[in-house]
Amino acid sequence: MKKVTVVFIVLLLTVFAFSQTKLVFWTAPNPQQEMFWKEVVAEYETLHPEIDIEWSTIPAAGSSEEAILTAIASGRAPDISTNIFSGFAAQLADIDQLVALNELEGFDELVETRKMGSIIEGWKINGNAYVIPIYSNPVLMWWRDSLLKEAGFDNPPRTYSEIYEFSKNFVVPMERYSIQVIAGRNWWDRWFDFITYYYAAGKGKPYIDTERMRAAFNNEVGQEVAKFIKTMFDNQWTAVDLGTDPFYTGAIAGTLMGPWSIAYAENQYPKVVDDIVITPPPVPDNYPSDQPIYTFADAKGLVIFNTTDHLEEAWEFVQWVFSREDFDSKWLEYTKMPPAREDLLTNEIFADFWEANPLAAEYAKYVPYAIPPAPITTTVDVQDIMTVELVEPLMHGTKDVQKALDDAVKAINRILW
């Protein structure tokens, strides 16, 4: 009898295992995000034992985008993935890999529940919503207050001319520099320098005209930004190589940062945290003082791939996650990155966090003025050209401002058109 019972239990377990629906779910390879998703997945599986979520971080590759494209090509795409920026979503939609979420039952209710109506509009591609935005990270300027005061500045510089004046007072050649102007030479670095400066100087004006598919930054705003970059390098107020963690070591007094840097500062340089002052990116001298300053949004979202065999179950999981306010609160606590919601400063569930985290609260103020990258399918190529034809010549003084803009726009338009 005992043997029969054991066999029966084994059979039951076998039947249960085969009756489970497996969802493959990939998330960003980031410790704080991993901690969040681990808890979310575990709770869902407890509530839904019929669902087995095979959760892992996006496989290691040159980039998340490369890993996902490789998986698609080999027929191993996940059912659901996070870490999708708007340009990559456009690329995936262009090759018909994504589910149009707005066509699914319950989409409008989910958008209303999470208070992300206007945010979703900025993510639409050809009228469809393929992405649920998870977070929106405004890129803002960090300053070391003690170093500002050392140079005679009680308040951080707001305009290009004020940065020039600060640089004259602060820079010691080969020892310390004013600010980090250029983030690096990778394609994604253009988000955190030229594109951020352009959004700020142009009141959020797009750098790519996605209707005409043309580069749109060869104008007065682009000239102001390019001139600022060139001036900083020509006068050696910044440098190509600033060493490791230059902001924290005092090698520079200011730099553009995202909210993900808050946790790093608190863990690695806790003594510097109280010395940090956060402002919007610098703007041209004629920028109206009573106007809000826009910036770039390092925003990522979640998609469902249309190769999934379990669309209903995948969508139910997504709806469950994003209908929970407490999950957005937990996300904020773990990552310090603002959830893509329009009620961050009015919803009581977040109030205690903002009070306890004043640096993160500064980022929440700029979520309404933070703009995602252009939703184009050729982001990598376009921004590689920005690097080679525009940014590097300005850094090294091999082109004047207008020549650099002309060459970059001409090359980009060949790709877009």
Side-chain angles (χ1 to χ4, degrees):
M1 182 66 181
K2 187 174 180 180
K3 185 175 180 181
V4 171
T5 301
V6 171
V7 170
F8 180 69
I9 291 172
V10 170
L11 286 172
L12 277 178
L13 290 173
T14 302
V15 170
F16 177 73
F18 277 106
S19 66
Q20 276 189 308
T21 297
K22 184 174 80 170
L23 295 175
V24 178
F25 178 38
W26 289 357
T27 63
N30 172 281
Q32 287 77 33
Q33 294 185 46
E34 289 169 37
M35 184 166 55
F36 169 82
W37 287 114
K38 181 178 181 180
E39 294 182 12
V40 169
V41 167
E43 182 175 338
Y44 193 78
E45 289 183 327
T46 299
L47 295 172
H48 298 272
E50 76 281 6
I51 303 295
D52 172 27
I53 299 181
E54 189 177 287
W55 166 67
S56 67
T57 59
I58 297 170
S63 66
S64 294
E65 294 77 23
E66 180 183 327
I68 289 170
L69 289 173
T70 299
I72 290 171
S74 59
R76 296 181 293 105
D79 297 288
I80 310 167
S81 182
T82 72
N83 212 36
I84 308 296
F85 76 90
S86 56
F88 188 46
Q91 183 178 356
L92 293 173
D94 190 56
I95 57 175
D96 196 28
Q97 291 296 313
L98 301 181
V99 173
L101 304 177
N102 53 294
E103 296 178 357
L104 301 181
E105 184 177 350
F107 174 80
D108 291 338
E109 292 80 358
L110 179 61
V111 170
E112 173 57 30
T113 298
R114 198 177 180 234
K115 308 300 180 190
M116 54 181 178
S118 63
I119 295 174
I120 281 284
E121 287 301 314
W123 280 81
K124 283 188 176 178
I125 301 165
N126 297 325
N128 283 321
Y130 296 98
V131 187
I132 298 291
I134 299 173
Y135 61 83
S136 179
N137 287 329
V139 174
L140 299 176
M141 198 76 182
W142 285 24
W143 295 93
R144 292 284 299 271
D145 187 52
S146 61
L147 300 181
L148 292 174
K149 286 183 167 58
E150 182 184 322
F153 278 67
D154 291 329
N155 298 303
R158 175 180 174 273
T159 66
Y160 298 160
S161 286
E162 289 173 3
I163 289 181
Y164 300 157
E165 188 62 29
F166 169 75
S167 301
K168 293 173 185 176
N169 296 345
F170 180 77
V171 171
V172 177
M174 305 300 293
E175 184 176 324
R176 67 181 190 183
Y177 297 90
S178 172
I179 65 172
Q180 181 170 358
V181 176
I182 298 301
R185 72 177 318 275
N186 296 300
W187 65 265
W188 58 81
D189 288 320
R190 302 295 70 80
W191 289 332
F192 308 108
D193 44 51
F194 183 82
I195 292 171
T196 292
Y197 299 137
Y198 187 83
Y199 277 155
K203 301 179 183 178
K205 181 182 296 187
Y207 58 97
I208 301 291
D209 181 342
T210 53
E211 290 187 6
R212 297 174 60 244
M213 291 309 286
R214 287 285 189 270
F217 57 85
N218 193 356
N219 52 28
E220 185 178 348
V221 174
Q223 290 165 0
E224 291 274 12
V225 173
K227 182 180 177 183
F228 168 64
I229 294 171
K230 190 174 190 313
T231 299
M232 292 299 292
F233 278 96
D234 284 353
N235 288 280
Q236 298 182 19
W237 292 332
T238 189
V240 175
D241 183 6
L242 295 167
T244 303
D245 289 347
F247 178 79
Y248 303 109
T249 62
I252 56 173
T255 187
L256 291 170
M257 292 277 204
W260 57 86
S261 296
I262 297 172
Y264 180 77
E266 291 173 341
N267 292 329
Q268 301 297 322
Y269 297 94
K271 293 181 180 179
V272 174
V273 172
D274 290 338
D275 196 36
I276 296 172
V277 179
I278 297 180
T279 70
V283 291
D285 298 352
N286 62 356
Y287 196 96
S289 59
D290 61 344
Q291 295 291 311
I293 297 175
Y294 289 77
T295 187
F296 170 74
D298 176 50
K300 300 285 177 68
L302 173 149
V303 299
I304 299 176
F305 289 88
N306 66 11
T307 49
T308 180
D309 292 325
H310 307 291
L311 177 57
E312 181 179 348
E313 292 84 354
W315 178 231
E316 285 178 359
F317 171 65
V318 171
Q319 288 178 288
W320 178 79
V321 170
F322 291 104
S323 64
R324 294 272 298 266
E325 275 188 347
D326 58 318
F327 282 161
D328 277 334
S329 180
K330 179 182 288 190
W331 170 273
L332 189 55
E333 177 186 348
Y334 285 4
T335 69
K336 304 291 193 295
M337 298 192 293
R341 302 179 61 108
E342 294 152 4
D343 62 348
L344 289 175
L345 295 176
T346 57
N347 192 322
E348 284 298 316
I349 198 170
F350 305 119
D352 289 344
F353 179 86
W354 302 133
E355 185 175 352
N357 296 271
L359 294 181
E362 289 299 314
Y363 280 91
K365 296 176 184 177
Y366 285 91
V367 168
Y369 308 110
I371 304 172
I376 55 175
T377 62
T378 51
T379 297
V380 175
D381 293 332
V382 164
Q383 292 179 202
D384 274 339
I385 288 173
M386 279 187 182
T387 302
V388 174
E389 298 290 355
L390 176 63
V391 171
E392 288 186 338
L394 294 174
M395 291 166 61
H396 300 297
T398 57
K399 294 180 185 178
D400 63 30
V401 165
Q402 194 57 58
K403 172 68 171 170
L405 287 168
D406 289 344
D407 289 351
V409 166
K410 183 177 180 181
I412 287 170
N413 285 344
R414 279 200 295 265
I415 289 176
L416 292 176
W417 191 247

